[in-house]
Amino acid sequence: MLTPILIASFFSLINAASIVSRSQSYPRSQSSQPAVLGPQTTITIGNNVIAPDGFERSATLVNGIFPGPLIAAQKGDNFSIQVVNELTDETMFKSTSVHWHGIFQNGTNYADGTSFVTQCPIAQNNSFTHNFSAPNQAGTYWYHSHYSVQYCDGLRGALVIYDPDDPLAYMYDVDNASTVITLSDWYHVVAPVLRHIIGTDANSSLINGLGRYAGGPASDLAVINVEQGKRYRMRLVAMSCDPNFNFTIDGHNFTIIEADGQLTEPLPVDQLQILAGQRYSVVLVANQPVDNYWIRSLPSLAGASFEGGTNSAILRYQGAPQVDPTTVQTTIQDPLVETNLHALINPGVPGIPGYGNADINLDLQITSLGGFFSVNNATFAPPTVPVLQQILSGVNPFNLLPNGSVIPLKANQVVELTMKIVSGPGGPHPIHLHGHSFDVVQSAESSTFNYVNPVRRDVVSVGTTGQQMVIRWTTDNSGPWFLHCHIDWHLDAGFAVVMAESPSDTAAHVNPVPQEWYELCPTFDSLTPTQLGGGGRFAYEEAASITTAALLFPPSPLP
């Protein structure tokens, strides 16, 4: 987007990269000894050279590793997470923000971490402490940068809130850091360059931070260790910037028990499609002969395969040799169909059943032209003053900026949102609503409506051109909440709106707003082009030099 980050830096990009020997020492994976932080902690955002698929590049990382450390809490814990910005690499953005994906932030909208919606970015050599609670939430979440396309350069990690009274605990024996499985795409060119290229594809897929790319070395793969006879709650987190993944494990079925922090009625499947931003908990029973089995995570990219161990990890039974598996992918019999998922706790949609019977009925039409996306003919462009700050300053709800991209909603109303893809490439598009989970009344690939017991989640597919989805939620959490495509390139190209929930109540609902929050904008607004980083015009020139494809929005004005 045409934000301050596009004001040019005077530094040229350094995108040289090389194949890394497996004997070289780089920050690698957490699959063997996962890094775990508690709910009251400090995370440092900085740059480090890593080679997760055998290709060396500088990245934007949490505590120097990819993925970032698992943040683990118990239900009812209070969170106090200081985000310290020590970014220095001129080729990538040097400001940051961190969003706690799936956490409702009820009463703490200012801690949501969404640049230009709930805060200004955290400038280089500054910090901000996110204090929040999630008293009624437990499940699988994650955190990531919410500043332009920065998380594509590596700022992403898992967050789990464990429930000691989990009603489905009888189904599994093991649920800890070793059973969190992150799925991500990885790029060999920095994101500020790639954001100019329409239709850029990832170079590899990583599972728990490790993978291989086509034509690359036999780099290390992640290993998930299990013991025969035990039952494991595997928490899958899709941290991709773009592709969705079809996830399978050779010789094993599994049972879904959670979608996006919401327990589901147990559903046996042998394959699940997981979109960017989504999470699932599955119970895997280690009931096969002691051996190594391929874990497969096939991305939705042309030509993707498992050749040479790409898009793969290893399920290793205790006692099996430390070698790559030789198992063959089994025929899929029972893939996940979203309409077969049903909320376990308090099933049922709020409001009067029946399409169009909500208190507020919204219809959002998505179109795309020249690489930009529009929602009801408005392309989201981040405002210079965050939406929350506008609300706290008393701006009329109907004058909130960006014009055409903020939808005011009254308090304690049932909202039914229909979203349809009229035109636009790159689907299925995963749609995420901050501040809420919602009931999926109609899934994108279904013609039926379910007001009785649909799945409840916070990221849902709106499908592809000609398809639509319908969701419902209640406006019981005052504040501006982002609704956007979780394909980060699409969000950057304008696929977003802000739901301004009961703006007249927001000042009281989020009181008190910490003083350090108010200091973020003056500091960020004073940054020079050099302090912003991101390559400036050189990022655009670099994009033009590596592709003949169409390019998006060169920075203006050019230095």
Side-chain angles (χ1 to χ4, degrees):
M1 300 310 304
L2 301 179
T3 66
I5 54 180
L6 288 180
I7 301 173
S9 163
F10 294 99
F11 291 84
S12 62
L13 286 167
I14 302 172
N15 279 315
S18 61
I19 302 301
V20 177
S21 164
R22 295 180 68 186
S23 64
Q24 287 183 271
S25 177
Y26 290 89
R28 300 289 286 176
S29 166
Q30 302 164 29
S31 58
S32 56
Q33 292 183 335
V36 182
L37 302 175
Q40 300 191 19
T41 190
T42 296
I43 61 174
T44 300
I45 313 302
N47 300 116
N48 207 346
V49 174
I50 59 173
D53 61 359
F55 185 94
E56 175 187 331
R57 59 156 290 185
S58 178
T60 297
L61 304 172
V62 181
N63 293 6
I65 57 176
F66 183 83
L70 169 66
I71 296 176
Q74 295 292 312
K75 186 175 182 179
D77 282 350
N78 292 320
F79 291 80
S80 181
I81 305 174
Q82 183 186 38
V83 178
V84 178
N85 182 350
E86 295 185 357
L87 292 166
T88 57
D89 193 321
E90 303 291 344
T91 70
M92 291 175 282
F93 301 125
K94 295 199 292 184
S95 296
T96 193
S97 75
V98 178
H99 168 57
W100 318 99
H101 182 121
I103 304 299
F104 297 154
Q105 300 292 354
N106 199 316
T108 50
N109 178 269
Y110 54 80
D112 193 49
T114 312
S115 293
F116 309 111
V117 177
T118 65
Q119 70 171 75
C120 278
I122 304 167
Q124 180 190 38
N125 300 321
N126 283 263
S127 66
F128 179 70
T129 300
H130 297 255
N131 291 302
F132 58 91
S133 60
N136 300 311
Q137 292 189 257
T140 309
Y141 309 94
W142 64 302
Y143 61 93
H144 58 84
S145 171
H146 224 305
Y147 178 55
S148 185
V149 292
Q150 187 178 58
Y151 93 71
C152 305
D153 278 326
L155 203 172
R156 24 186 167 162
L159 188 158
V160 174
I161 302 177
Y162 294 93
D163 185 357
D165 299 314
D166 179 12
L168 296 179
Y170 69 91
M171 295 185 63
Y172 54 87
D173 306 306
V174 181
D175 177 23
N176 56 34
S178 72
T179 61
V180 176
I181 301 177
T182 62
L183 311 175
S184 58
D185 48 356
W186 193 246
Y187 301 83
H188 292 171
V189 176
V190 295
V193 172
L194 295 179
R195 69 192 293 262
H196 295 294
I197 302 173
I198 300 175
T200 187
D201 282 343
N203 294 98
S204 62
S205 296
L206 308 180
I207 300 177
N208 281 2
L210 294 174
R212 297 172 184 170
Y213 65 95
S219 188
D220 293 339
L221 297 178
V223 177
I224 308 298
N225 294 293
V226 297
E227 184 178 340
Q228 190 180 48
K230 289 191 174 180
R231 304 166 301 167
Y232 294 82
R233 179 173 181 165
M234 304 290 192
R235 296 177 181 265
L236 309 180
V237 185
M239 298 181 175
S240 58
C241 287
D242 182 358
N244 63 75
F245 303 100
N246 277 318
F247 182 87
T248 60
I249 301 178
D250 287 1
H252 294 76
N253 299 337
F254 32 83
T255 301
I256 298 174
I257 61 170
E258 177 212 348
D260 299 354
Q262 299 287 329
L263 293 177
T264 68
E265 294 179 359
L267 178 67
V269 298
D270 57 9
Q271 174 187 276
L272 62 81
Q273 182 185 41
I274 182 168
L275 277 63
Q278 291 185 329
R279 295 88 63 209
Y280 288 103
S281 279
V282 301
V283 176
L284 179 139
V285 181
N287 57 4
Q288 296 302 304
V290 171
D291 203 346
N292 294 289
Y293 297 85
W294 283 120
I295 299 173
R296 304 176 187 268
S297 182
L298 189 69
S300 54
L301 300 174
S305 72
F306 303 111
E307 184 176 353
T310 56
N311 307 307
S312 301
I314 300 168
L315 183 75
R316 176 165 294 153
Y317 277 67
Q318 186 179 69
Q322 296 187 21
V323 297
D324 281 0
T326 58
T327 55
V328 177
Q329 188 175 25
T330 50
T331 303
I332 303 303
Q333 303 288 338
D334 296 301
L336 168 64
V337 177
E338 187 179 61
T339 52
N340 290 336
L341 285 172
H342 307 292
L344 179 71
I345 308 297
N346 298 324
V349 175
I352 301 171
Y355 184 67
N357 290 337
D359 301 315
I360 301 171
N361 297 284
L362 300 175
D363 186 11
L364 300 183
Q365 304 285 310
I366 312 304
T367 55
S368 180
L369 180 65
F372 291 93
F373 286 85
S374 296
V375 182
N376 286 2
N377 298 315
T379 296
F380 183 86
T384 55
V385 177
V387 180
L388 176 59
Q389 187 165 334
Q390 296 177 54
I391 292 172
L392 295 178
S393 300
V395 174
N396 185 301
F398 295 96
N399 293 331
L400 292 168
L401 299 176
N403 185 43
S405 293
V406 182
I407 302 174
L409 302 172
K410 293 181 179 179
N412 300 312
Q413 302 284 291
V414 174
V415 179
E416 183 167 272
L417 169 66
T418 301
M419 182 178 284
K420 184 174 183 177
I421 304 294
V422 177
S423 64
H429 300 274
I431 305 303
H432 173 47
L433 174 63
H434 293 215
H436 293 274
S437 59
F438 46 73
D439 287 278
V440 183
V441 171
Q442 182 186 22
S443 295
E445 297 181 355
S446 174
S447 61
T448 62
F449 294 80
N450 182 357
Y451 290 89
V452 178
N453 61 349
V455 67
R456 188 175 298 126
R457 60 186 323 157
D458 61 47
V459 180
V460 67
S461 171
V462 72
T464 57
T465 300
Q467 294 184 326
Q468 71 173 30
M469 62 78 175
V470 181
I471 60 176
R472 274 197 189 185
W473 76 93
T474 302
T475 57
D476 55 6
N477 189 6
S478 181
W481 302 110
F482 222 13
L483 177 80
H484 62 88
C485 180
H486 222 294
I487 295 175
D488 220 30
W489 314 112
H490 295 177
L491 168 58
D492 196 48
F495 194 161
V497 293
V498 176
M499 298 292 169
E501 200 165 305
S502 54
S504 62
D505 302 322
T506 300
H509 190 62
V510 302
N511 186 54
V513 178
Q515 180 59 36
E516 66 169 338
W517 181 87
Y518 285 101
E519 296 169 358
L520 290 172
C521 286
T523 302
F524 178 78
D525 292 340
S526 70
L527 297 177
T528 66
T530 298
Q531 290 170 320
L532 287 168
R537 72 182 176 97
F538 297 102
Y540 184 79
E541 293 170 358
E542 178 75 6
S545 73
I546 64 176
T547 182
T548 57
L551 300 181
L552 286 175
F553 43 80
S556 178
L558 296 177

